[in-house]
Amino acid sequence: MLMHMWILAARLSLAAVFTIAVTAKLADTNDLRHAVEAFGVPRMVAAILAPTMIATEFGVAVLLLTAPRYGALGALTVLTGFSAAVLANIARGRRLECHCFGRLSNGPIGWPTLARNGCLAGLAAIVASDGQFIWPLMALMSVMLILWTGPTSYRRWNARPGNAAAGLALWDREGDKWTLDRLLQRRKPLVLIFSQPGCGACEQLLPDVVAWQRDERITVALINGGHSADHSVPFELIDEQRASFAAYNITATPSAVLIDGDVNVVAAQARGAAAIGVLVGRAVQMSEQISDMPGFNRRGLLRRATVGMASVSALSAATYESAGKSSAAPDVNALEVDGAWLCNQTFALCTTAPCVPSATDPNISVCDCVVVNGYSVGFKSCSERAQSGRKVRSAFSTVNVNPNFAVLSCPSGVPWANCLDVECEIDPTNPAVAKCQCVTVTTGESLTFGGACETATCTSTIWSAATPDLPGSAQYRKGMKQLNQPVTFPATCPAPK
Protein backbone atom coordinates (compact mmCIF):
# COMPACT_ATOMS: atom_id res chain seq x y z
CA MET A 1 0.00 0.00 0.00
CA LEU A 2 2.79 2.39 0.95
CA MET A 3 4.61 1.61 -2.30
CA HIS A 4 1.52 2.51 -4.34
CA MET A 5 1.27 5.82 -2.49
CA TRP A 6 4.90 6.63 -3.34
CA ILE A 7 4.31 5.81 -7.00
CA LEU A 8 1.12 7.89 -7.07
CA ALA A 9 2.94 10.83 -5.48
CA ALA A 10 5.71 10.54 -8.08
CA ARG A 11 3.15 10.45 -10.92
CA LEU A 12 1.23 13.47 -9.70
CA SER A 13 4.38 15.47 -8.97
CA LEU A 14 5.82 14.79 -12.40
CA ALA A 15 2.50 15.54 -14.12
CA ALA A 16 2.27 18.83 -12.19
CA VAL A 17 5.80 19.83 -13.24
CA PHE A 18 5.10 19.17 -16.92
CA THR A 19 1.74 20.96 -16.71
CA ILE A 20 3.35 24.05 -15.18
CA ALA A 21 6.07 23.98 -17.84
CA VAL A 22 3.48 23.78 -20.63
CA THR A 23 1.34 26.57 -19.17
CA ALA A 24 4.33 28.87 -18.70
CA LYS A 25 5.61 28.24 -22.22
CA LEU A 26 2.17 28.89 -23.73
CA ALA A 27 2.13 32.27 -22.00
CA ASP A 28 5.46 33.21 -23.57
CA THR A 29 5.82 31.44 -26.93
CA ASN A 30 7.85 34.22 -28.54
CA ASP A 31 10.64 34.03 -25.96
CA LEU A 32 10.55 30.23 -26.18
CA ARG A 33 11.22 30.41 -29.91
CA HIS A 34 14.14 32.80 -29.28
CA ALA A 35 15.54 30.42 -26.67
CA VAL A 36 15.35 27.48 -29.10
CA GLU A 37 17.15 29.55 -31.74
CA ALA A 38 19.90 30.34 -29.23
CA PHE A 39 20.60 26.60 -28.96
CA GLY A 40 21.70 26.75 -32.60
CA VAL A 41 18.42 25.70 -34.21
CA PRO A 42 17.64 27.51 -37.50
CA ARG A 43 14.84 30.06 -37.25
CA MET A 44 12.47 28.16 -39.54
CA VAL A 45 13.01 24.94 -37.61
CA ALA A 46 12.68 26.73 -34.26
CA ALA A 47 9.28 28.07 -35.32
CA ILE A 48 8.13 24.44 -35.65
CA LEU A 49 10.13 22.92 -32.80
CA ALA A 50 8.90 25.36 -30.12
CA PRO A 51 5.19 24.42 -30.39
CA THR A 52 6.20 20.78 -30.84
CA MET A 53 7.97 20.90 -27.49
CA ILE A 54 4.84 22.30 -25.85
CA ALA A 55 2.65 19.62 -27.42
CA THR A 56 5.08 16.87 -26.39
CA GLU A 57 5.23 18.02 -22.78
CA PHE A 58 1.45 18.30 -22.68
CA GLY A 59 1.18 14.75 -24.03
CA VAL A 60 3.56 13.52 -21.34
CA ALA A 61 1.47 15.19 -18.62
CA VAL A 62 -1.72 13.58 -19.96
CA LEU A 63 -0.13 10.13 -20.25
CA LEU A 64 1.19 10.33 -16.69
CA LEU A 65 -2.42 10.60 -15.56
CA THR A 66 -3.98 8.11 -17.99
CA ALA A 67 -1.20 5.65 -18.91
CA PRO A 68 1.46 6.14 -16.23
CA ARG A 69 4.16 3.83 -17.57
CA TYR A 70 4.08 5.31 -21.06
CA GLY A 71 3.96 8.81 -19.61
CA ALA A 72 7.00 8.08 -17.45
CA LEU A 73 8.92 6.68 -20.42
CA GLY A 74 7.98 9.79 -22.40
CA ALA A 75 9.19 12.00 -19.55
CA LEU A 76 12.50 10.11 -19.42
CA THR A 77 12.92 10.59 -23.18
CA VAL A 78 12.21 14.33 -23.00
CA LEU A 79 14.47 14.85 -19.99
CA THR A 80 17.29 12.81 -21.51
CA GLY A 81 17.12 14.69 -24.80
CA PHE A 82 17.09 18.08 -23.13
CA SER A 83 19.89 17.09 -20.74
CA ALA A 84 22.03 16.00 -23.68
CA ALA A 85 21.51 19.39 -25.36
CA VAL A 86 22.36 21.18 -22.11
CA LEU A 87 25.49 19.10 -21.57
CA ALA A 88 26.67 19.72 -25.13
CA ASN A 89 26.35 23.48 -24.71
CA ILE A 90 28.02 23.49 -21.29
CA ALA A 91 30.93 21.55 -22.78
CA ARG A 92 31.25 24.26 -25.43
CA GLY A 93 31.22 26.96 -22.75
CA ARG A 94 27.78 28.24 -23.74
CA ARG A 95 25.33 29.04 -20.93
CA LEU A 96 22.15 29.72 -22.85
CA GLU A 97 18.75 30.67 -21.49
CA CYS A 98 16.82 27.62 -20.35
CA HIS A 99 13.27 28.94 -20.63
CA CYS A 100 12.16 25.59 -19.20
CA PHE A 101 9.35 27.22 -17.24
CA GLY A 102 8.76 30.33 -19.32
CA ARG A 103 9.21 33.51 -17.31
CA LEU A 104 8.70 31.68 -14.04
CA SER A 105 12.35 30.63 -14.15
CA ASN A 106 14.11 31.40 -17.39
CA GLY A 107 17.68 31.53 -16.15
CA PRO A 108 20.80 30.23 -17.87
CA ILE A 109 21.49 26.52 -18.20
CA GLY A 110 24.20 24.97 -16.04
CA TRP A 111 25.01 22.06 -13.78
CA PRO A 112 21.98 22.82 -11.55
CA THR A 113 19.82 22.34 -14.66
CA LEU A 114 21.21 18.83 -15.07
CA ALA A 115 20.73 18.12 -11.37
CA ARG A 116 17.11 19.25 -11.58
CA ASN A 117 16.55 17.01 -14.58
CA GLY A 118 18.13 14.18 -12.60
CA CYS A 119 15.53 14.65 -9.85
CA LEU A 120 12.70 14.60 -12.36
CA ALA A 121 14.19 11.61 -14.16
CA GLY A 122 14.30 9.79 -10.82
CA LEU A 123 10.56 10.36 -10.39
CA ALA A 124 9.95 9.11 -13.93
CA ALA A 125 12.06 6.01 -13.31
CA ILE A 126 10.09 5.20 -10.15
CA VAL A 127 6.84 5.31 -12.12
CA ALA A 128 8.24 3.46 -15.16
CA SER A 129 9.67 0.63 -13.03
CA ASP A 130 6.53 0.44 -10.90
CA GLY A 131 8.62 1.16 -7.82
CA GLN A 132 11.02 -1.76 -8.20
CA PHE A 133 14.12 0.38 -7.53
CA ILE A 134 12.48 3.04 -5.42
CA TRP A 135 15.05 3.26 -2.61
CA PRO A 136 18.19 3.52 -4.78
CA LEU A 137 16.35 5.99 -6.98
CA MET A 138 15.28 8.07 -3.99
CA ALA A 139 18.86 8.11 -2.74
CA LEU A 140 20.01 9.30 -6.16
CA MET A 141 17.28 11.94 -6.20
CA SER A 142 18.39 13.19 -2.79
CA VAL A 143 21.90 13.73 -4.10
CA MET A 144 20.56 15.49 -7.20
CA LEU A 145 18.33 17.68 -5.03
CA ILE A 146 21.31 18.81 -2.96
CA LEU A 147 23.33 19.53 -6.11
CA TRP A 148 20.37 21.43 -7.55
CA THR A 149 19.33 23.59 -4.60
CA GLY A 150 22.47 23.71 -2.44
CA PRO A 151 24.62 26.13 -4.49
CA THR A 152 21.61 28.32 -5.25
CA SER A 153 20.65 28.58 -1.59
CA TYR A 154 24.23 29.44 -0.65
CA ARG A 155 24.47 32.14 -3.31
CA ARG A 156 21.06 33.54 -2.35
CA TRP A 157 22.24 33.83 1.24
CA ASN A 158 25.41 35.63 0.19
CA ALA A 159 23.54 37.94 -2.22
CA ARG A 160 20.93 39.08 0.29
CA PRO A 161 20.55 42.84 0.93
CA GLY A 162 23.13 44.24 3.33
CA ASN A 163 25.87 41.80 2.37
CA ALA A 164 29.03 42.79 0.56
CA ALA A 165 28.67 42.59 -3.22
CA ALA A 166 30.52 39.83 -5.03
CA GLY A 167 33.61 40.82 -6.98
CA LEU A 168 33.64 41.15 -10.76
CA ALA A 169 36.28 40.96 -13.47
CA LEU A 170 34.63 41.30 -16.89
CA TRP A 171 35.56 42.75 -20.25
CA ASP A 172 33.56 45.13 -22.42
CA ARG A 173 33.20 44.90 -26.20
CA GLU A 174 36.38 46.95 -26.69
CA GLY A 175 38.44 44.56 -24.56
CA ASP A 176 38.76 46.79 -21.48
CA LYS A 177 38.66 45.01 -18.12
CA TRP A 178 36.16 46.20 -15.53
CA THR A 179 36.18 45.29 -11.85
CA LEU A 180 33.60 46.17 -9.23
CA ASP A 181 35.93 48.81 -7.78
CA ARG A 182 36.30 50.43 -11.18
CA LEU A 183 32.55 50.46 -11.72
CA LEU A 184 32.12 52.17 -8.34
CA GLN A 185 34.96 54.66 -8.73
CA ARG A 186 32.48 57.53 -9.18
CA ARG A 187 30.91 56.61 -5.82
CA LYS A 188 27.51 56.51 -7.49
CA PRO A 189 24.89 53.79 -6.94
CA LEU A 190 25.62 50.93 -9.33
CA VAL A 191 22.88 48.95 -11.08
CA LEU A 192 23.96 45.67 -12.66
CA ILE A 193 21.43 44.49 -15.25
CA PHE A 194 21.79 40.87 -16.34
CA SER A 195 20.76 39.82 -19.83
CA GLN A 196 21.55 37.13 -22.35
CA PRO A 197 21.07 36.31 -26.03
CA GLY A 198 17.72 34.81 -26.92
CA CYS A 199 15.91 36.59 -24.09
CA GLY A 200 13.02 38.48 -25.68
CA ALA A 201 12.20 40.43 -22.52
CA CYS A 202 15.85 41.51 -22.33
CA GLU A 203 15.76 42.83 -25.88
CA GLN A 204 12.65 44.87 -25.12
CA LEU A 205 14.43 46.42 -22.12
CA LEU A 206 17.47 47.64 -24.09
CA PRO A 207 16.07 51.10 -25.02
CA ASP A 208 15.47 51.75 -21.32
CA VAL A 209 19.00 50.59 -20.49
CA VAL A 210 20.39 53.08 -23.01
CA ALA A 211 18.42 55.90 -21.36
CA TRP A 212 19.50 54.86 -17.86
CA GLN A 213 23.17 54.77 -18.86
CA ARG A 214 22.92 58.42 -19.91
CA ASP A 215 21.89 59.45 -16.39
CA GLU A 216 24.99 60.89 -14.73
CA ARG A 217 23.63 60.34 -11.24
CA ILE A 218 24.00 56.57 -11.40
CA THR A 219 26.14 53.90 -13.04
CA VAL A 220 24.30 51.25 -15.04
CA ALA A 221 26.18 48.26 -16.43
CA LEU A 222 24.58 45.69 -18.72
CA ILE A 223 26.08 42.23 -18.18
CA ASN A 224 25.38 39.96 -21.14
CA GLY A 225 25.74 36.21 -20.90
CA GLY A 226 26.96 36.08 -24.50
CA HIS A 227 27.68 38.17 -27.55
CA SER A 228 24.53 39.87 -28.80
CA ALA A 229 23.93 41.16 -32.29
CA ASP A 230 22.34 44.28 -30.82
CA HIS A 231 25.06 46.81 -29.96
CA SER A 232 22.74 49.71 -29.17
CA VAL A 233 23.73 49.73 -25.48
CA PRO A 234 26.89 51.85 -25.09
CA PHE A 235 28.30 50.04 -22.05
CA GLU A 236 28.02 46.27 -22.09
CA LEU A 237 30.11 43.68 -20.24
CA ILE A 238 30.41 40.13 -21.57
CA ASP A 239 30.24 37.11 -19.25
CA GLU A 240 29.97 33.98 -21.38
CA GLN A 241 30.90 31.76 -18.43
CA ARG A 242 28.05 33.26 -16.34
CA ALA A 243 30.38 33.66 -13.35
CA SER A 244 28.70 36.91 -12.32
CA PHE A 245 25.28 35.32 -12.80
CA ALA A 246 26.22 32.63 -10.30
CA ALA A 247 27.83 35.11 -7.89
CA TYR A 248 24.64 37.19 -7.71
CA ASN A 249 22.26 34.22 -7.86
CA ILE A 250 20.75 35.32 -11.18
CA THR A 251 18.42 32.53 -12.26
CA ALA A 252 16.19 34.52 -14.62
CA THR A 253 16.70 37.35 -17.06
CA PRO A 254 16.34 40.24 -17.22
CA SER A 255 17.29 40.79 -13.59
CA ALA A 256 19.15 43.52 -11.75
CA VAL A 257 20.88 44.22 -8.46
CA LEU A 258 21.65 47.56 -6.81
CA ILE A 259 25.01 48.18 -5.13
CA ASP A 260 25.92 51.24 -3.08
CA GLY A 261 29.21 53.10 -2.78
CA ASP A 262 30.22 50.96 0.19
CA VAL A 263 30.10 47.89 -2.11
CA ASN A 264 27.02 46.46 -0.40
CA VAL A 265 23.96 44.93 -2.04
CA VAL A 266 21.19 47.42 -1.25
CA ALA A 267 17.98 45.73 -2.35
CA ALA A 268 16.57 42.35 -3.20
CA GLN A 269 17.11 41.20 -6.77
CA ALA A 270 14.71 42.78 -9.26
CA ARG A 271 13.24 40.56 -11.98
CA GLY A 272 11.46 41.80 -15.08
CA ALA A 273 11.28 45.19 -16.76
CA ALA A 274 8.86 46.79 -14.30
CA ALA A 275 10.81 45.75 -11.20
CA ILE A 276 14.10 46.83 -12.78
CA GLY A 277 12.61 50.24 -13.59
CA VAL A 278 11.64 50.63 -9.94
CA LEU A 279 15.16 49.60 -8.86
CA VAL A 280 16.77 52.15 -11.19
CA GLY A 281 14.46 54.83 -9.82
CA ARG A 282 15.55 53.87 -6.34
CA ALA A 283 19.20 54.19 -7.38
CA VAL A 284 18.53 57.70 -8.66
CA GLN A 285 16.85 58.59 -5.38
CA MET A 286 19.89 57.37 -3.46
CA SER A 287 22.39 59.19 -5.63
CA GLU A 288 22.29 62.66 -4.14
CA GLN A 289 21.84 61.79 -0.51
CA ILE A 290 23.79 58.62 0.31
CA SER A 291 27.07 60.49 0.69
CA ASP A 292 25.43 62.83 3.19
CA MET A 293 24.30 60.05 5.52
CA PRO A 294 25.91 60.04 8.99
CA GLY A 295 28.98 57.85 9.14
CA PHE A 296 28.99 57.16 5.42
CA ASN A 297 32.66 57.76 4.62
CA ARG A 298 35.41 60.32 4.84
CA ARG A 299 34.21 62.00 1.69
CA GLY A 300 30.81 62.45 3.26
CA LEU A 301 32.38 63.88 6.42
CA LEU A 302 34.44 66.32 4.40
CA ARG A 303 31.38 67.32 2.40
CA ARG A 304 29.37 67.92 5.55
CA ALA A 305 32.25 69.93 6.99
CA THR A 306 32.38 72.01 3.83
CA VAL A 307 28.63 72.53 3.90
CA GLY A 308 28.85 73.49 7.55
CA MET A 309 31.57 76.05 6.89
CA ALA A 310 29.61 77.44 3.97
CA SER A 311 26.53 77.70 6.16
CA VAL A 312 28.49 79.59 8.82
CA SER A 313 29.86 81.95 6.18
CA ALA A 314 26.43 82.48 4.69
CA LEU A 315 24.96 83.12 8.13
CA SER A 316 27.68 85.63 8.93
CA ALA A 317 27.09 87.42 5.65
CA ALA A 318 23.35 87.47 6.21
CA THR A 319 23.83 88.82 9.72
CA TYR A 320 26.11 91.55 8.42
CA GLU A 321 23.68 92.56 5.69
CA SER A 322 20.72 92.59 8.04
CA ALA A 323 22.45 94.53 10.83
CA GLY A 324 20.19 97.20 12.29
CA LYS A 325 16.98 95.50 11.11
CA SER A 326 14.44 94.93 13.85
CA SER A 327 12.82 91.75 12.50
CA ALA A 328 14.39 88.36 11.70
CA ALA A 329 14.09 86.69 8.30
CA PRO A 330 11.29 84.11 7.96
CA ASP A 331 12.17 80.46 8.62
CA VAL A 332 12.57 78.88 5.19
CA ASN A 333 12.87 75.41 6.74
CA ALA A 334 9.30 75.31 8.08
CA LEU A 335 6.55 77.01 6.12
CA GLU A 336 2.82 76.60 6.74
CA VAL A 337 0.80 76.62 3.53
CA ASP A 338 -3.00 76.33 3.57
CA GLY A 339 -3.14 73.77 6.36
CA ALA A 340 -0.06 71.82 5.28
CA TRP A 341 3.58 72.17 6.28
CA LEU A 342 6.49 72.48 3.85
CA CYS A 343 9.61 71.33 5.70
CA ASN A 344 13.28 71.25 4.78
CA GLN A 345 14.53 68.20 6.68
CA THR A 346 15.06 64.45 6.53
CA PHE A 347 12.01 62.44 5.48
CA ALA A 348 10.97 59.15 3.90
CA LEU A 349 9.94 59.38 0.25
CA CYS A 350 7.55 56.67 -0.91
CA THR A 351 6.32 57.96 -4.29
CA THR A 352 7.70 54.90 -6.14
CA ALA A 353 7.71 52.43 -3.26
CA PRO A 354 6.50 48.85 -3.72
CA CYS A 355 4.70 47.43 -0.69
CA VAL A 356 3.66 44.12 0.81
CA PRO A 357 0.78 43.35 3.19
CA SER A 358 1.71 43.47 6.86
CA ALA A 359 2.08 40.07 8.48
CA THR A 360 0.32 41.29 11.62
CA ASP A 361 -2.22 43.92 10.52
CA PRO A 362 -4.48 43.47 7.47
CA ASN A 363 -5.01 47.24 7.27
CA ILE A 364 -1.32 48.00 6.89
CA SER A 365 1.08 47.66 3.95
CA VAL A 366 4.82 47.77 4.59
CA CYS A 367 6.53 49.89 1.94
CA ASP A 368 10.20 50.14 0.95
CA CYS A 369 10.87 53.89 0.86
CA VAL A 370 14.03 55.96 0.52
CA VAL A 371 15.41 58.43 3.05
CA VAL A 372 15.86 61.90 1.57
CA ASN A 373 16.98 65.33 2.74
CA GLY A 374 15.14 68.33 1.30
CA TYR A 375 11.77 70.00 0.99
CA SER A 376 8.65 67.91 1.47
CA VAL A 377 5.02 68.53 2.32
CA GLY A 378 2.70 66.85 4.79
CA PHE A 379 -0.19 67.62 7.08
CA LYS A 380 1.81 67.09 10.26
CA SER A 381 4.02 69.92 11.51
CA CYS A 382 7.74 69.93 10.85
CA SER A 383 8.49 69.19 14.50
CA GLU A 384 6.16 66.18 14.40
CA ARG A 385 7.88 64.94 11.24
CA ALA A 386 11.43 65.57 12.47
CA GLN A 387 13.74 62.56 12.54
CA SER A 388 14.21 60.97 15.96
CA GLY A 389 16.87 58.30 16.01
CA ARG A 390 15.83 55.74 13.41
CA LYS A 391 12.25 57.03 13.35
CA VAL A 392 11.20 59.33 10.51
CA ARG A 393 7.95 60.36 8.84
CA SER A 394 7.04 60.02 5.20
CA ALA A 395 6.02 63.05 3.15
CA PHE A 396 5.39 64.10 -0.44
CA SER A 397 8.06 65.64 -2.64
CA THR A 398 9.27 65.76 -6.24
CA VAL A 399 12.90 66.22 -5.24
CA ASN A 400 13.88 62.95 -6.92
CA VAL A 401 11.82 63.24 -10.11
CA ASN A 402 13.76 62.55 -13.30
CA PRO A 403 12.83 61.82 -16.95
CA ASN A 404 12.31 58.14 -16.10
CA PHE A 405 9.42 58.98 -13.79
CA ALA A 406 5.78 59.00 -14.86
CA VAL A 407 2.38 59.07 -13.17
CA LEU A 408 0.59 55.74 -13.47
CA SER A 409 -3.17 55.66 -12.91
CA CYS A 410 -4.58 52.47 -11.37
CA PRO A 411 -8.31 51.65 -11.46
CA SER A 412 -10.73 51.57 -8.56
CA GLY A 413 -10.79 48.38 -6.53
CA VAL A 414 -7.05 47.76 -6.83
CA PRO A 415 -5.32 47.84 -3.41
CA TRP A 416 -2.80 50.64 -2.85
CA ALA A 417 -0.95 52.12 0.11
CA ASN A 418 -1.41 55.63 1.52
CA CYS A 419 1.96 56.59 3.00
CA LEU A 420 1.51 60.31 3.62
CA ASP A 421 2.62 61.31 7.14
CA VAL A 422 3.02 57.72 8.35
CA GLU A 423 5.82 56.59 10.65
CA CYS A 424 8.83 54.82 9.18
CA GLU A 425 11.94 53.14 10.53
CA ILE A 426 15.33 53.63 8.91
CA ASP A 427 17.18 50.44 8.07
CA PRO A 428 20.11 50.13 10.52
CA THR A 429 22.25 48.43 7.87
CA ASN A 430 21.43 50.93 5.13
CA PRO A 431 20.42 54.43 6.27
CA ALA A 432 19.32 55.30 2.74
CA VAL A 433 16.13 53.22 3.01
CA ALA A 434 13.24 52.95 5.44
CA LYS A 435 10.29 50.66 6.08
CA CYS A 436 7.04 52.61 6.30
CA GLN A 437 3.80 51.40 7.86
CA CYS A 438 1.32 52.66 5.27
CA VAL A 439 -2.47 52.43 5.29
CA THR A 440 -3.92 49.90 2.85
CA VAL A 441 -6.71 51.35 0.68
CA THR A 442 -8.98 49.15 -1.45
CA THR A 443 -11.39 51.71 -2.90
CA GLY A 444 -11.11 54.46 -5.48
CA GLU A 445 -8.65 55.21 -8.24
CA SER A 446 -5.02 55.88 -7.34
CA LEU A 447 -1.96 57.57 -8.82
CA THR A 448 1.61 56.39 -8.30
CA PHE A 449 5.03 57.38 -9.60
CA GLY A 450 5.98 53.69 -9.57
CA GLY A 451 5.20 50.95 -12.05
CA ALA A 452 7.12 52.40 -15.01
CA CYS A 453 3.79 52.89 -16.85
CA GLU A 454 3.16 49.13 -16.79
CA THR A 455 -0.56 48.92 -16.06
CA ALA A 456 -0.22 45.22 -15.22
CA THR A 457 1.75 46.19 -12.11
CA CYS A 458 -1.39 47.81 -10.66
CA THR A 459 -2.61 44.32 -9.78
CA SER A 460 0.73 42.54 -9.34
CA THR A 461 2.17 45.09 -6.89
CA ILE A 462 0.77 47.17 -4.04
CA TRP A 463 2.13 50.63 -4.83
CA SER A 464 2.49 53.58 -2.53
CA ALA A 465 0.01 55.93 -4.18
CA ALA A 466 -2.49 58.74 -3.65
CA THR A 467 -5.97 59.72 -4.71
CA PRO A 468 -6.22 61.53 -8.07
CA ASP A 469 -6.27 64.96 -6.39
CA LEU A 470 -2.77 64.27 -4.94
CA PRO A 471 -3.33 65.62 -1.40
CA GLY A 472 -0.74 68.20 -0.45
CA SER A 473 0.51 68.74 -3.99
CA ALA A 474 -1.17 72.14 -4.35
CA GLN A 475 0.36 73.34 -1.09
CA TYR A 476 3.70 71.90 -2.19
CA ARG A 477 3.64 73.87 -5.45
CA LYS A 478 2.56 77.06 -3.70
CA GLY A 479 5.14 76.81 -0.92
CA MET A 480 8.00 75.95 -3.25
CA LYS A 481 7.06 78.91 -5.43
CA GLN A 482 7.19 81.21 -2.39
CA LEU A 483 10.68 79.92 -1.62
CA ASN A 484 11.79 80.15 -5.27
CA GLN A 485 12.47 76.42 -5.33
CA PRO A 486 12.09 74.44 -8.58
CA VAL A 487 9.27 71.92 -8.88
CA THR A 488 9.11 69.22 -11.55
CA PHE A 489 6.13 66.89 -11.67
CA PRO A 490 6.42 63.76 -13.84
CA ALA A 491 4.37 63.39 -16.99
CA THR A 492 1.29 61.19 -17.08
CA CYS A 493 1.70 57.71 -18.51
CA PRO A 494 0.14 57.30 -21.96
CA ALA A 495 -3.23 55.60 -22.01
CA PRO A 496 -2.97 51.83 -22.59
CA LYS A 497 -3.80 50.78 -26.14
Side-chain angles (χ1 to χ4, degrees):
M1 181 65 180
L2 182 61
M3 180 67 69
H4 289 302
M5 291 181 64
W6 280 111
I7 296 172
L8 178 62
R11 280 177 55 198
L12 295 178
S13 299
L14 202 56
V17 168
F18 274 87
T19 301
I20 292 171
V22 168
T23 304
K25 288 184 176 74
L26 282 172
D28 198 16
T29 54
N30 191 48
D31 279 2
L32 173 62
R33 179 175 55 80
H34 285 303
V36 173
E37 290 176 13
F39 271 80
V41 178
R43 177 170 297 185
M44 294 294 293
V45 178
I48 300 173
L49 184 58
T52 302
M53 290 171 58
I54 296 175
T56 301
E57 292 179 2
F58 177 73
V60 168
V62 172
L63 286 174
L64 281 166
L65 298 176
T66 58
R69 190 166 186 274
Y70 291 107
L73 291 173
L76 279 171
T77 302
V78 171
L79 291 167
T80 301
F82 179 61
S83 297
V86 169
L87 188 59
N89 280 277
I90 291 177
R92 294 166 58 189
R94 304 176 70 218
R95 300 294 180 91
L96 305 174
E97 185 176 352
C98 171
H99 216 85
C100 308
F101 294 91
R103 294 189 179 180
L104 295 178
S105 179
N106 56 342
I109 60 173
W111 297 112
T113 310
L114 294 175
R116 181 193 65 204
N117 287 354
C119 285
L120 298 177
L123 290 175
I126 289 174
V127 177
S129 65
D130 201 25
Q132 291 185 26
F133 308 102
I134 187 169
W135 299 117
L137 287 171
M138 289 188 69
L140 177 62
M141 288 167 55
S142 298
V143 174
M144 292 295 104
L145 184 63
I146 293 172
L147 294 175
W148 172 20
T149 62
T152 301
S153 299
Y154 177 75
R155 289 193 298 267
R156 184 179 293 116
W157 175 259
N158 283 336
R160 70 191 189 280
N163 272 19
L168 292 176
L170 300 174
W171 281 259
D172 60 22
R173 289 195 299 263
E174 285 69 40
D176 289 336
K177 183 179 180 180
W178 289 83
T179 62
L180 194 61
D181 287 340
R182 186 180 179 188
L183 289 168
L184 288 167
Q185 64 185 358
R186 295 195 305 152
R187 307 297 297 177
K188 300 292 185 182
L190 169 65
V191 181
L192 300 178
I193 300 178
F194 294 84
S195 173
Q196 56 188 344
C199 169
C202 303
E203 294 172 1
Q204 295 174 10
L205 186 65
L206 293 183
D208 291 327
V209 176
V210 173
W212 294 332
Q213 289 189 347
R214 291 172 180 159
D215 194 326
E216 291 295 326
R217 292 168 293 183
I218 57 176
T219 300
V220 177
L222 178 69
I223 300 180
N224 202 330
H227 290 275
S228 174
D230 189 333
H231 298 315
S232 60
V233 177
F235 183 47
E236 180 181 28
L237 303 177
I238 309 300
D239 184 11
E240 290 186 289
Q241 299 302 316
R242 305 295 201 282
S244 61
F245 285 64
Y248 287 93
N249 192 38
I250 302 299
T251 59
T253 54
S255 293
V257 295
L258 174 58
I259 301 170
D260 64 16
D262 281 340
V263 202
N264 291 322
V265 177
V266 173
Q269 181 187 127
R271 289 186 177 185
I276 292 174
V278 172
L279 192 71
V280 171
R282 183 171 176 180
V284 171
Q285 293 169 3
M286 290 171 53
S287 178
E288 295 300 328
Q289 48 86 30
I290 284 185
S291 60
D292 292 326
M293 288 295 168
F296 179 70
N297 53 26
R298 286 185 297 174
R299 180 179 296 185
L301 292 173
L302 289 172
R303 180 178 295 180
R304 287 195 298 278
T306 303
V307 171
M309 292 176 65
S311 299
V312 171
S313 300
L315 180 61
S316 300
T319 303
Y320 176 78
E321 291 177 2
S322 61
K325 294 184 179 180
S326 59
S327 60
D331 185 1
V332 297
N333 292 321
L335 181 65
E336 185 177 10
V337 184
D338 299 338
W341 283 90
L342 186 68
C343 310
N344 185 16
Q345 59 190 25
T346 301
F347 65 100
L349 184 61
C350 305
T351 50
T352 62
C355 314
V356 295
S358 169
T360 57
D361 189 340
N363 298 315
I364 296 295
S365 291
V366 181
C367 302
D368 292 325
C369 305
V370 294
V371 181
V372 181
N373 293 311
Y375 282 103
S376 66
V377 73
F379 292 96
K380 290 185 178 293
S381 68
C382 297
S383 59
E384 290 178 295
R385 283 156 46 197
Q387 180 180 354
S388 176
R390 284 166 46 195
K391 299 294 184 181
V392 69
R393 290 274 178 179
S394 64
F396 175 78
S397 177
T398 62
V399 66
N400 67 326
V401 168
N402 65 72
N404 294 322
F405 278 50
V407 180
L408 174 65
S409 177
C410 293
S412 178
V414 173
W416 55 279
N418 183 357
C419 294
L420 188 61
D421 286 333
V422 303
E423 189 173 85
C424 311
E425 184 169 355
I426 297 175
D427 188 338
T429 64
N430 182 13
V433 299
K435 295 282 188 183
C436 295
Q437 304 292 318
C438 303
V439 180
T440 303
V441 183
T442 57
T443 59
E445 296 180 10
S446 61
L447 299 180
T448 179
F449 291 2
C453 290
E454 295 283 347
T455 54
T457 64
C458 289
T459 53
S460 64
T461 304
I462 299 176
W463 291 110
S464 169
T467 52
D469 58 337
L470 290 176
S473 60
Q475 293 94 324
Y476 179 76
R477 289 179 186 270
K478 183 177 179 179
M480 294 291 276
K481 184 177 181 180
Q482 290 181 25
L483 298 174
N484 294 318
Q485 295 291 325
V487 174
T488 303
F489 272 75
T492 302
C493 292
K497 298 180 180 179

